[in-house]
Amino acid sequence: MHRREFLSAAAVIAVELGGCARPWIRKTTDPLQGKTLSPRQWANLHAVVDHLLPADGDLVGAAQVGAVGYIDAVMADAGTADDDKSNFIDGLAALNRAAQKIGASDFAFLDVIERESLLRTFEGSAQGRRWLNLVLRHTLEAYLGDP
């Protein structure tokens, strides 16, 4: 996804959300207290959301606002569709396997250029596109919603 497409998608999602995420969701900030994610999964998702919406100058990034904790809590929420939950966990595992195929022990250990390349390749598959859309949607909810 190109930056222009990303910003267009972000604008659409922001309008759809009306500026509020799921207010009943209590996000976790400690990877050892994750509701759905193991510490390893937490680290890999942290690397993804930090790559998708990084800090820039005075602007904080998605990782800094607790997007990983928010996504973890959303996936544990009873109101989240089972398909979303399984697509999320399966997609995260597939992304990490792809990172291992290029020699990294985890996605989190790739450098910025390798992450970009791998995410673009992953987006080319149906599973990858579905997973990235899901992660992007929840990342933007966390980033744009009420704290």
Side-chain angles (χ1 to χ4, degrees), residues 44-54 61-63 67-68 71 107 135 139:
N44 287 314
L45 182 60
H46 185 278
V48 171
V49 300
D50 190 49
H51 188 83
L52 292 175
L53 197 56
V68 177
I71 295 169
F107 180 83
V135 170
T139 298

Side-chain angles (χ1 to χ4, degrees), residues 31-43:
L32 297 177
Q33 300 296 318
K35 298 173 182 178
T36 304
L37 300 172
S38 70
R40 182 179 183 186
Q41 290 169 319
W42 186 289

Side-chain angles (χ1 to χ4, degrees), residues 63-77:
Q64 289 79 28
V65 299
V68 177
Y70 176 79
I71 295 169
D72 179 58
V74 167
M75 290 303 134
D77 185 59

Side-chain angles (χ1 to χ4, degrees), residues 90-115:
D90 294 346
L92 186 57
L95 180 68
N96 205 48
R97 283 192 304 275
Q100 291 167 350
K101 285 182 182 175
I102 62 170
S105 59
D106 282 318
F107 180 83
F109 295 114
L110 296 173
D111 65 34
V112 173
I113 294 169
E114 291 170 323
R115 287 178 185 177

